[in-house]
Amino acid sequence: MRVPLSWLREYVDLPATETGRDVQAKLIDVGLEVETVERLGEGLKGPLVVGQVLTIEELEGFKKPIRFCTVDVGDANGTGEPQEIVCGARNFAVGDKVVVVLPGAVLPGDFKIAARKTYGKTSHGMICSGDELGMGDDGTHGIIVLPPEYEVGTDAIELLELVDEVLDIAVTPDRGYCLSMRGVARETATAYGLQLRDPALLDVPPPNASGYPVQVSDPIGCDRFTARTVSGLEPEARSPIWLTRRLQKAGMRPVSLAVDITNYVMLELGQPLHAYDRVTVDGPIGVRRATAGEQLTTLDGTKRVLDAQDLVITDNRGPIGLAGVMGGANTEIAGAVTDPETGQLRGTTDVVIEAAHFDAISIARTARRHKLSSEAAKRFERGVDPEAASAAAQRTVDLLVLLGGGTAGEGVTEVVSPRGPRTLTIPADHPDKVAGVEYGRETVVRRLQQVGCDVYGQDELVVTVPSWRPDLSDPNDLAEEVIRLEGYENLPSTLPKPPAGRGLTERQRLHRRVGRVLAGAGYVEALNYPFTGSHVLDQLGIEPDDPRRSAVTLVNPLSDEEPDLRTTLIPGLLGALRRNYGRGSHDLALFETGPVFRATGDEKPASRLVVDRRPTDDEIASLDASLPQQPRRAAVVLTGAREQAGWWGEGRPAIWADAIEAGRAVAREAGVELIVRQDQHAPFHPGRCAALLALVDGEEVLVGNAGELHPRVIKAMALPERTCAMEIDLDRLERAGAGALKAPTISSFPVATQDVALIVDGSVPAADVEAALRDGAGELLESLRLFDVFTGEQTGAGKKSLAYALRFRAPDRTLTAEEATAARDAAVAAAVERTGAVLRG
């Protein structure tokens, strides 16, 4: 909600010295989120005056139409002579009153005006458009043409109200009453302790039988409908400058007098209105639910197929508007048009004014169903004061009569469904208990009365909630009003005291260690949305029968292109890598930890839980049974240089081995040593893909995959060449681990190193040879490392040589050469027996 400070002052007598920043601070103190204060006309300097076009000469020979004009600006130029100005706009004629900026002036944006030669003429100033003055769009996209009654030489800065301050307020859904000047003024008056001049306090005539006929068939969807008529409007009547400027400052575009007035009253009182051309309305106005399949062309020119739950406004022909959302094109207010035969100005002269109150949920669902957001719907779905409808209709009628020369109809239609006032009972000390501050009964009563409540009682307060606050439905809501007006900043700050003996679970510690170890290895954490689409899985080359295709589809996704919950972390990370690569970061290493969602098909439909009590254990268990599996994963992607080149060396690029090492690092945090084998698994390159295995209850279990992405995947997703990735299941790693990590025992005795080179068939995995060496070496083996792989004539056809460094150490003594050699020989013997290895050399 954009709130011009000059408009706000009409309802609250703010001190003359108060600036927009001062008001912003006060409103923030009472709980409103004032995002910015825009200072209109900042830096603007005159002379900026009203001028009258005397002559127009069309200049020929240029690529675009150019006009050389003389303009009467009175004595503003110091000579009284006509001002010569070059202008390219064509929406004005001789005799029109325009806005002229003269040499020496400065326009917004520090645009200094001086006489200059252009198009073969000297232009002494400029004829201004609204955009050039920072006024916003007036619908013409051209020069400002003023009404003829303004005198030449009048100061246009004051006339057009170019200098002002506008507060931009982010109104939360529970504070819908602040989507109006009335609501913001009420909060301002409360913040300053001043009186409010309520614009809704108008003398409204009582309903009578001569009003325009209205039939409400759905009193739940529409519990109040006010109809008024105005006839004899002058087609040539235009919105005055003060009205159009207030609309522009509030962020709305002027359209025509009748439409501008309904928009103005909506901004002023918060009550959306609609004006129908009375000539085009056929019979009584009705309110009902639509018939499925009915069609309506709305004011935006779109033909819409209606749903049976849509609330519509009708006449004898059918729907003429989506109630509370947008009117229909067939009853639109007609703009002024000159009849080519008679020369007379024609347009809408008789209007029917609608001011109604609609069910908030119904309007919200209709607006979302048709993807049609409007200023009216935004207010109705947040709650509109039902008691303001008649005042808003009266205010609209008064302005149409005053500004449009119309005559108010004597008939007043009021269709109202009876409703009693909403009352709540609250202990007088309830806000004290909620805030931990002793306010006292008098303060509680005073603050509740300031927000419009009627309060009775002593220890137990009976509070009647005002009609414009539908959000006040619980004693805690009333407590919140007291607390916010007394000042959140005055609440004492106390730290919660956690019970002793509690901390992070072992699972939480593992997840934190994983994040730290990856960050320590040079990876940067990327947090991605958990949404995806099937097209991404297609790009990754995932087969139709792959479990990753079993996605959970959302009923109301944020994007139609990403309606599913992710089944793997890799697509989100690849998207982040692609975005960063496209912005010039070519050496990237990203990681993410988080859940994936796997549908099993056994999920039960979710039951709707009650909100007036704590759900039972069975209800919570039923809700849990409706959820998909949510295993927690860790994943990395990397591309570019893994080690930077410099004076210290040549550096090296990231390869598939780095992705595997990331998996090993994660597994070590769970106390697990991975078994790495060759694998084929989308989206990885078949020859550069590793299966990451761990022992769970003595059996090898797949916990993840790592490697280089397939070239087809890289091309489909526009990724850098040689991009690598790794994804690992943290839940499976946790099951494979031995519980809490234990600090290693460090021996003070020296290490004995033995190297061994074994020749095996090329098809034998190095992991099998390593496992055999570990088992054969026994307890004295401290570590085992593959440091060389060799193939060539010396090894024989189809053979390869694997060289390992074995480190032996005893915790209680220095090993002898014989003990180290015996352990080495035992390791080799096990490898020979299990893999057919031959000791090289």
Side-chain angles (χ1 to χ4, degrees):
M1 176 69 186
R2 289 174 56 85
V3 179
L5 187 59
S6 59
W7 193 357
L8 185 63
R9 289 182 183 274
E10 283 198 5
Y11 313 117
V12 185
D13 288 327
L14 294 172
T17 56
E18 288 293 283
T19 66
R21 296 288 186 188
D22 298 329
V23 178
Q24 178 189 30
K26 286 286 189 179
L27 291 180
I28 289 175
D29 286 344
V30 295
L32 287 183
E33 185 179 344
V34 185
E35 294 187 327
T36 60
V37 177
E38 183 180 353
R39 302 183 67 180
L40 302 181
E42 188 173 20
L44 178 63
K45 176 185 174 183
L48 185 72
V49 298
V50 175
Q52 186 172 23
V53 180
L54 301 178
T55 64
I56 298 176
E57 177 188 351
E58 301 287 347
L59 301 182
E60 304 293 339
F62 300 102
K63 292 182 179 179
K64 61 180 181 178
I66 298 297
R67 311 167 98 186
F68 181 65
C69 311
T70 59
V71 185
D72 180 10
V73 294
D75 295 330
N77 57 4
T79 65
E81 297 294 325
Q83 201 78 3
E84 296 179 339
I85 298 174
V86 175
C87 182
R90 308 190 64 78
N91 66 312
F92 64 96
V94 172
D96 282 345
K97 298 287 181 68
V98 294
V99 178
V100 180
V101 59
L102 301 177
V106 181
L107 294 184
D110 198 29
F111 181 32
K112 297 178 181 179
I113 303 300
R116 65 190 183 98
K117 190 168 184 179
T118 179
Y119 297 103
K121 301 284 187 179
T122 300
S123 182
H124 299 273
M126 189 167 70
I127 303 175
C128 297
S129 68
D131 288 337
E132 290 163 339
L133 298 179
M135 295 171 57
D137 180 20
D138 61 358
T140 65
H141 301 288
I143 293 303
I144 301 171
V145 178
L146 298 171
E149 61 265 22
Y150 295 107
E151 295 184 5
V152 169
T154 302
D155 183 3
I157 296 178
E158 182 177 352
L159 175 67
L160 298 177
E161 302 176 16
L162 296 178
V163 179
D164 201 351
E165 292 183 276
V166 178
L167 287 74
D168 193 351
I169 303 175
V171 179
T172 54
D174 61 326
R175 307 285 287 279
Y177 67 97
C178 284
L179 288 172
S180 66
M181 294 299 302
R182 181 194 186 201
V184 176
R186 186 181 303 279
E187 293 296 316
T188 306
T190 301
Y192 279 90
L194 300 172
Q195 291 295 318
L196 168 71
R197 286 190 292 272
D198 192 343
L201 296 180
L202 301 175
D203 291 330
V204 180
N208 52 56
S210 59
Y212 197 91
V214 174
Q215 300 171 354
V216 177
S217 303
D218 190 335
I220 295 177
C222 176
D223 57 10
R224 180 182 290 265
F225 197 106
T226 300
R228 301 288 297 276
T229 58
V230 177
S231 58
L233 292 174
E234 299 172 359
E236 69 274 10
R238 297 172 54 185
S239 299
I241 290 176
W242 65 266
L243 176 59
T244 59
R245 288 298 293 134
R246 286 189 172 179
L247 291 177
Q248 287 176 323
K249 292 175 186 179
M252 301 191 77
R253 181 172 63 87
V255 178
S256 63
L257 178 62
V259 175
D260 292 349
I261 288 175
T262 57
N263 286 335
Y264 177 83
V265 175
M266 177 184 68
L267 292 172
E268 184 179 49
L269 302 182
Q271 168 66 55
L273 301 109
H274 191 69
Y276 300 94
D277 189 330
R278 186 172 182 177
V279 175
T280 61
V281 178
D282 183 7
I285 290 177
V287 183
R288 62 170 171 82
R289 297 288 173 176
T291 301
E294 277 188 304
Q295 295 186 352
L296 169 68
T297 301
T298 47
L299 288 173
D300 59 357
T302 302
K303 181 178 288 187
R304 304 182 185 276
V305 179
L306 304 181
D307 186 270
Q309 295 300 313
D310 292 334
L311 196 66
V312 292
I313 311 298
T314 65
D315 63 5
N316 289 338
R317 299 166 296 177
I320 59 173
L322 269 177
V325 180
M326 185 173 286
N330 53 352
T331 57
E332 182 179 6
I333 299 296
V337 178
T338 302
D339 190 319
E341 297 182 359
T342 63
Q344 293 182 343
L345 203 61
R346 293 186 176 180
T348 297
T349 58
D350 300 340
V351 297
V352 179
I353 305 299
E354 166 208 308
H357 184 262
F358 301 111
D359 176 62
I361 295 177
S362 175
I363 300 306
R365 288 175 175 170
T366 295
R368 284 158 179 73
R369 187 180 298 120
H370 293 281
K371 295 181 173 60
L372 183 58
S373 178
S374 66
E375 292 292 329
K378 182 166 67 174
R379 286 165 173 79
F380 276 124
E381 65 187 25
R382 286 166 173 78
V384 168
D385 182 5
E387 303 297 329
S390 56
Q394 182 64 46
R395 176 73 164 143
T396 304
V397 169
D398 292 343
L399 289 173
L400 284 172
V401 171
L402 175 67
L403 304 177
T407 302
E410 295 181 357
V412 177
T413 302
E414 287 273 5
V415 180
V416 181
S417 297
R419 65 160 66 193
R422 293 181 298 118
T423 60
L424 299 172
T425 301
I426 176 176
D429 62 349
H430 183 65
D432 300 9
K433 294 179 180 178
V434 172
V437 177
E438 187 175 343
Y439 293 123
R441 179 189 176 280
E442 291 185 1
T443 298
V444 172
V445 171
R446 175 170 57 86
R447 290 304 191 184
L448 291 179
Q449 288 174 340
Q450 283 181 328
V451 300
C453 296
D454 291 330
V455 186
Y456 304 95
Q458 293 298 320
D459 295 337
E460 287 285 331
L461 302 180
V462 179
V463 181
T464 301
V465 177
S467 58
W468 60 84
R469 292 300 301 272
D471 59 302
L472 301 181
S473 58
D474 184 87
N476 287 327
D477 296 331
L478 300 178
E480 182 184 1
E481 293 299 298
V482 175
I483 295 168
R484 75 175 178 89
L485 294 181
E486 282 295 303
Y488 291 121
E489 70 279 5
N490 296 323
L491 294 178
S493 298
T494 56
L495 293 175
K497 296 180 180 180
R502 294 187 181 181
L504 298 178
T505 65
E506 183 55 35
R507 185 169 189 258
Q508 291 170 326
R509 290 193 180 98
L510 171 61
H511 295 162
R512 289 197 176 186
R513 291 199 304 270
V514 167
R516 283 197 294 265
V517 74
L518 289 174
Y523 292 87
V524 177
E525 186 170 16
L527 301 177
N528 299 298
Y529 287 116
F531 311 118
T532 187
S534 59
H535 67 284
V536 177
L537 301 181
D538 294 338
Q539 291 175 333
L540 293 177
I542 295 177
E543 298 294 333
D545 58 348
D546 193 292
R548 288 171 290 179
R549 289 281 186 177
S550 300
V552 177
T553 301
L554 300 173
V555 175
N556 55 341
L558 295 179
S559 169
D560 292 337
E561 294 182 357
E562 296 181 330
D564 302 330
L565 291 175
R566 66 188 178 191
T567 57
T568 169
L569 299 180
I570 290 180
L573 282 173
L574 291 178
L577 182 141
R578 182 175 60 245
R579 286 192 298 273
N580 284 274
Y581 192 88
R583 287 162 175 75
S585 298
H586 294 165
D587 302 324
L588 294 165
L590 308 177
F591 83 93
E592 182 177 12
T593 62
V596 298
F597 306 85
R598 295 288 183 87
T600 63
D602 298 329
E603 293 84 9
K604 299 178 180 179
S607 58
R608 187 179 296 274
L609 297 182
V610 296
V611 296
D612 58 346
R613 58 172 173 79
R614 182 189 182 280
T616 66
D617 292 342
D618 290 341
E619 289 172 334
I620 295 176
S622 174
L623 189 64
D624 288 340
S626 68
L627 300 176
Q629 292 182 357
Q630 300 178 45
R632 194 169 184 87
R633 300 288 186 87
V636 305
V637 295
L638 62 164
T639 190
R642 186 64 179 141
E643 294 179 3
Q644 295 289 340
W647 57 265
W648 53 85
E650 297 181 356
R652 68 173 183 85
I655 60 173
W656 55 269
D658 294 301
I660 295 175
E661 180 56 30
R664 291 184 188 274
V666 170
R668 282 193 289 269
E669 293 303 313
V672 177
E673 283 296 330
L674 290 181
I675 301 168
V676 180
R677 300 187 188 279
Q678 188 174 1
D679 196 11
Q680 292 190 15
H681 185 77
F684 298 102
H685 191 297
R688 296 171 187 154
C689 173
L692 307 181
L693 306 161
L695 290 177
V696 179
D697 298 330
E699 295 184 5
E700 291 186 0
V701 175
L702 180 69
V703 295
N705 288 93
E708 183 181 310
L709 297 183
H710 198 290
R712 285 198 297 266
V713 175
I714 289 175
K715 181 178 180 181
M717 302 190 74
L719 298 170
E721 292 184 0
R722 303 292 188 185
T723 297
C724 301
M726 182 279 299
E727 184 171 21
I728 196 166
D729 192 316
L730 297 180
D731 293 343
R732 292 183 181 178
L733 277 181
E734 187 179 7
R735 291 196 296 271
L741 288 180
K742 296 180 180 179
T745 301
I746 300 176
S747 174
S748 59
F749 296 95
V751 67
T753 303
Q754 295 275 353
D755 293 344
V756 60
L758 301 174
I759 298 177
V760 296
D761 287 338
S763 61
V764 175
D768 290 350
V769 178
E770 181 178 331
L773 290 172
R774 286 187 183 277
D775 293 343
E779 296 180 354
L780 294 179
L781 181 66
E782 182 179 77
S783 67
L784 173 67
R785 180 174 64 89
L786 174 66
F787 67 85
D788 183 52
V789 178
F790 175 74
T791 58
E793 295 181 1
Q794 297 91 330
T795 62
K799 302 288 186 178
K800 62 183 176 184
S801 172
L802 304 177
Y804 292 90
L806 291 79
R807 291 167 57 92
F808 298 99
R809 196 191 315 251
D812 55 352
R813 67 188 188 280
T814 299
L815 292 178
T816 64
E818 292 76 11
E819 288 177 307
T821 301
R824 170 186 174 276
D825 292 343
V828 171
V832 170
E833 180 182 352
R834 288 164 53 174
T835 65
V838 176
L839 186 64
R840 183 178 174 187

